[in-house]
Amino acid sequence: MGQNPYRYGGPRGNDGRPAWWTGVVYQIYPRSFADSTGNGIGDLEGIRQKLPYLSEVLGVDAIWLSPFYPSPQKDFGYDVADYVNVASEYGTLEDFDRLVKDFHAAGIRVIVDYVPNHSSDQHPWFIESASSRDNDKRDWYVWADPKSDGSEPNNWLSVFGGRAWEWHEPTGQYYLHTFLKEQPDLNWRNPDVEAAMFDVLRFWMDRGVDGFRIDVAHYLVKDPEMRDNPLADPNAPSDHYKPMGEFGTLDHLYSKAHEDIHPLYRRLRAVTDEYEDRYTIGEAHIFDWEEWATYFGANLDEMHQPFNFALLNRASDPASVRAVVAAQERVLPDGAWPNYVIGNHDEPRLAKRYGVDSIRRLAVLLLTVRGTATMYYGDELGMLEGSSDLDLDPWGQNLEGVSRDGCRTPMQWTAEGGFSSSPKTWLPMGPDLENRNVEAQLADPGSVLNLYRRLLAVRRSSEALSVGDQRDLPSGNDDVLMYERVTADERVIVCVNFGRDSVAVAVSGDVLVSTDFRDGRADGSWTIEPHGAVVVRT
Ligand code: NOJ
């Protein structure tokens, strides 16, 4: 693989632009990627052994590892019992160091999950905090007295169902948990919490970590008066995500995103800026674009990027995609860089959300729109939604129809699975293992995996696709999305067919990628297969 000046982990060749701008980040759910010990659960050493796949077969620029810290696994690692260690089921700190060293040597950066809103109730901080009202760490979590009738301090709800308050009989107060009761919220208004959690960032950066994905980043700071949340506005814009179940009945105005969150992110950024060239991307499910953009910071001094989740559910037709692209570009502060994501460990697999036919065109979209792209393990094989029969996801246990088990099934390496030597994996392997596995798809020149490989290589070698401006082009067909990516020296046109019929588009140039792998030149017209796409250099 040649030297690529635009590569995230490569030399800085982007006219001084930060390297992560052009990168493709590959999300790994450690439990599900590769099991090196044969216990049916993925681990860090398993991930390290797959470096050749990530580096040479795919060619991604960074990996983001979902939590691998010691945890009771009530929420599969998002309930952290020790922020500065590795769960024994995933390996050791030495395994982690080896992984970082090898990935860095291959030019791939390592981003880890940072879960600051809540810890596990098994974290020593919470155990101390709960031990008595006058314990030094009492104020490290959010405790409140009951109302005079003994009920919860306010009407706040847990994302995962039920009230956000848990009664603690031994000390006669409630504690706040935005998620499970086993995930008590840390009190970020306490400077000692902030100092301890900032040290967590330093701990991992000292070990070479290149960046952090910040879990529920907008939840950290709540209303100091802890007022009741108002009812949800039934007339909220239709593009605003509406949570399901009881949680959707309230507007969570006071239980998250208090304005004090911005100074906090400025302080957090100052910590990551103590180290050279680090990157932060925050999970902020905020669908009001203006509010979303505030997380870059007024002077680009907060997180490097808040995740743009709009395409998770709005990539169904050209008009919706155009609206998302335009909205992000409109609110993006000067000097900031856009980003896109189409799958992750909280969302049903692409085929379930958009239909199995959509997989190829979504790959083209994700890897050619202007912005940092985050892809989810297995999407490069078109992995399908797996079974949720085991009902392991706590959210799914509380609310019908939301189980996340189906998008977390083990990575499919071979027709036998290839994930673990154990026949019993923590979640069963997903459907269509025979065709949707790395080995089979590498051998098939027309596979989804080979499409991803081609797209990644083309993106890497194209200045326009890496850093070019993006402009919408009229396609003359409601089913076809067309845009150009341009720099002074290069122009690339992307045409994506959302329809069920093949369609001829007016375009000329060298075909860089076609979802049906036809190469050659487009001379004035190119016929795109149903649900397909073509990328042309003019
Ligand atoms: C968001 C994470 O992506 C999700 O998996 C987790 O359950 C919640 N935050 C709670 O940490």
Side-chain angles (χ1 to χ4, degrees), residues 75 78 115 118 160 179 183 213 215-216 283 345-346 404 408:
D75 188 20
Y78 285 94
V115 190
H118 45 268
F160 285 165
F179 294 89
Q183 292 169 298
R213 176 268 188 189
D215 190 62
V216 285
E283 187 206 15
H345 64 294
D346 292 326
R404 297 169 294 177
R408 297 172 175 179

Tab-separated table of all heavy atoms in Angstrom, residues 75 78 115 118 160 179 183 213 215-216 283 345-346 404 408, ligand 1:
chain	number	residue	atom	x	y	z
A	75	ASP	N	-24.362	-3.316	30.941
A	75	ASP	CA	-24.635	-2.658	29.657
A	75	ASP	C	-23.444	-2.900	28.726
A	75	ASP	O	-23.002	-2.020	28.018
A	75	ASP	CB	-24.874	-1.152	29.872
A	75	ASP	CG	-25.344	-0.456	28.601
A	75	ASP	OD1	-25.836	-1.145	27.687
A	75	ASP	OD2	-25.207	0.780	28.523
A	78	TYR	N	-20.478	-0.399	28.991
A	78	TYR	CA	-20.784	1.013	29.224
A	78	TYR	C	-21.134	1.253	30.695
A	78	TYR	O	-21.665	2.287	31.063
A	78	TYR	CB	-21.881	1.505	28.271
A	78	TYR	CG	-21.318	1.696	26.869
A	78	TYR	CD1	-21.389	0.695	25.917
A	78	TYR	CD2	-20.645	2.867	26.530
A	78	TYR	CE1	-20.834	0.856	24.653
A	78	TYR	CE2	-20.085	3.046	25.272
A	78	TYR	CZ	-20.182	2.029	24.335
A	78	TYR	OH	-19.616	2.200	23.101
A	115	VAL	N	-16.373	6.994	28.925
A	115	VAL	CA	-17.767	6.934	29.400
A	115	VAL	C	-17.906	7.808	30.654
A	115	VAL	O	-17.867	7.314	31.786
A	115	VAL	CB	-18.186	5.467	29.699
A	115	VAL	CG1	-19.691	5.375	29.941
A	115	VAL	CG2	-17.795	4.536	28.555
A	118	HIS	N	-21.561	8.302	33.481
A	118	HIS	CA	-21.905	7.383	34.564
A	118	HIS	C	-20.824	6.332	34.684
A	118	HIS	O	-20.120	6.033	33.723
A	118	HIS	CB	-23.243	6.692	34.266
A	118	HIS	CG	-23.321	6.221	32.844
A	118	HIS	ND1	-23.860	6.988	31.831
A	118	HIS	CD2	-22.898	5.081	32.240
A	118	HIS	CE1	-23.772	6.335	30.683
A	118	HIS	NE2	-23.178	5.175	30.898
A	160	PHE	N	-33.316	3.993	29.422
A	160	PHE	CA	-33.574	2.556	29.274
A	160	PHE	C	-34.908	2.118	29.879
A	160	PHE	O	-35.209	0.928	29.936
A	160	PHE	CB	-32.439	1.749	29.918
A	160	PHE	CG	-31.172	1.724	29.107
A	160	PHE	CD1	-29.977	1.311	29.688
A	160	PHE	CD2	-31.165	2.082	27.763
A	160	PHE	CE1	-28.796	1.263	28.943
A	160	PHE	CE2	-29.993	2.039	27.010
A	160	PHE	CZ	-28.809	1.629	27.601
A	179	PHE	N	-29.198	5.986	32.743
A	179	PHE	CA	-29.377	4.690	32.071
A	179	PHE	C	-29.826	3.661	33.130
A	179	PHE	O	-30.754	3.945	33.878
A	179	PHE	CB	-28.106	4.323	31.289
A	179	PHE	CG	-27.895	5.303	30.142
A	179	PHE	CD1	-27.163	6.477	30.323
A	179	PHE	CD2	-28.488	5.088	28.911
A	179	PHE	CE1	-27.033	7.397	29.292
A	179	PHE	CE2	-28.356	6.003	27.872
A	179	PHE	CZ	-27.619	7.160	28.068
A	183	GLN	N	-25.907	2.015	36.616
A	183	GLN	CA	-25.046	3.021	35.965
A	183	GLN	C	-25.314	4.401	36.577
A	183	GLN	O	-25.905	5.283	35.930
A	183	GLN	CB	-25.328	3.064	34.452
A	183	GLN	CG	-24.895	1.806	33.701
A	183	GLN	CD	-25.431	1.777	32.279
A	183	GLN	OE1	-26.643	1.762	32.070
A	183	GLN	NE2	-24.544	1.772	31.298
A	213	ARG	N	-13.856	8.609	21.859
A	213	ARG	CA	-15.267	8.730	21.509
A	213	ARG	C	-15.965	8.926	22.856
A	213	ARG	O	-15.805	8.115	23.773
A	213	ARG	CB	-15.717	7.464	20.790
A	213	ARG	CG	-17.209	7.419	20.456
A	213	ARG	CD	-17.972	6.749	21.561
A	213	ARG	NE	-19.370	6.523	21.214
A	213	ARG	CZ	-20.279	6.108	22.078
A	213	ARG	NH1	-19.953	5.852	23.330
A	213	ARG	NH2	-21.511	5.918	21.700
A	215	ASP	N	-18.950	9.046	25.280
A	215	ASP	CA	-20.293	8.468	25.418
A	215	ASP	C	-21.283	9.511	25.939
A	215	ASP	O	-20.967	10.282	26.853
A	215	ASP	CB	-20.214	7.294	26.408
A	215	ASP	CG	-21.483	6.474	26.436
A	215	ASP	OD1	-21.827	5.901	25.399
A	215	ASP	OD2	-22.119	6.405	27.508
A	216	VAL	N	-22.481	9.502	25.377
A	216	VAL	CA	-23.546	10.471	25.711
A	216	VAL	C	-22.984	11.817	26.204
A	216	VAL	O	-23.278	12.300	27.292
A	216	VAL	CB	-24.619	9.915	26.679
A	216	VAL	CG1	-25.530	8.968	25.957
A	216	VAL	CG2	-24.054	9.252	27.914
A	283	GLU	N	-20.548	11.578	21.332
A	283	GLU	CA	-21.864	11.041	21.003
A	283	GLU	C	-22.901	12.023	21.509
A	283	GLU	O	-23.147	12.123	22.712
A	283	GLU	CB	-22.071	9.672	21.682
A	283	GLU	CG	-23.356	9.009	21.238
A	283	GLU	CD	-23.934	8.031	22.252
A	283	GLU	OE1	-23.517	8.048	23.429
A	283	GLU	OE2	-24.815	7.265	21.866
A	345	HIS	N	-23.193	0.299	17.213
A	345	HIS	CA	-23.614	-0.788	18.083
A	345	HIS	C	-24.953	-0.529	18.768
A	345	HIS	O	-25.376	-1.320	19.612
A	345	HIS	CB	-22.525	-1.013	19.144
A	345	HIS	CG	-22.372	0.183	20.039
A	345	HIS	ND1	-21.907	1.408	19.597
A	345	HIS	CD2	-22.666	0.368	21.355
A	345	HIS	CE1	-21.926	2.268	20.587
A	345	HIS	NE2	-22.372	1.672	21.668
A	346	ASP	N	-25.576	0.601	18.467
A	346	ASP	CA	-26.876	0.905	19.062
A	346	ASP	C	-28.013	0.840	18.045
A	346	ASP	O	-29.179	1.023	18.422
A	346	ASP	CB	-26.861	2.324	19.671
A	346	ASP	CG	-25.945	2.411	20.882
A	346	ASP	OD1	-25.838	1.424	21.628
A	346	ASP	OD2	-25.332	3.482	21.073
A	404	ARG	N	-30.591	-4.405	21.045
A	404	ARG	CA	-29.400	-4.116	20.234
A	404	ARG	C	-28.557	-5.375	20.018
A	404	ARG	O	-27.486	-5.288	19.427
A	404	ARG	CB	-28.586	-2.997	20.905
A	404	ARG	CG	-29.356	-1.681	20.982
A	404	ARG	CD	-28.658	-0.665	21.864
A	404	ARG	NE	-28.636	-1.106	23.256
A	404	ARG	CZ	-28.048	-0.445	24.248
A	404	ARG	NH1	-27.422	0.690	23.992
A	404	ARG	NH2	-28.066	-0.901	25.485
A	408	ARG	N	-24.953	-6.716	17.155
A	408	ARG	CA	-23.697	-6.945	17.881
A	408	ARG	C	-23.196	-8.378	17.717
A	408	ARG	O	-22.338	-8.825	18.468
A	408	ARG	CB	-23.909	-6.635	19.372
A	408	ARG	CG	-24.265	-5.188	19.615
A	408	ARG	CD	-24.657	-4.923	21.065
A	408	ARG	NE	-24.876	-3.500	21.292
A	408	ARG	CZ	-25.234	-2.972	22.442
A	408	ARG	NH1	-25.432	-3.748	23.504
A	408	ARG	NH2	-25.399	-1.670	22.573
B	1	NOJ	C1	-24.476	5.203	24.452
B	1	NOJ	C2	-23.820	3.930	24.043
B	1	NOJ	O1	-23.543	3.995	22.668
B	1	NOJ	C3	-24.755	2.823	24.412
B	1	NOJ	O2	-24.348	1.596	23.896
B	1	NOJ	C4	-24.879	2.786	25.903
B	1	NOJ	O3	-25.856	1.829	26.263
B	1	NOJ	C5	-25.303	4.136	26.468
B	1	NOJ	N1	-24.585	5.225	25.874
B	1	NOJ	C6	-25.053	4.202	27.937
B	1	NOJ	O4	-23.678	4.311	28.180
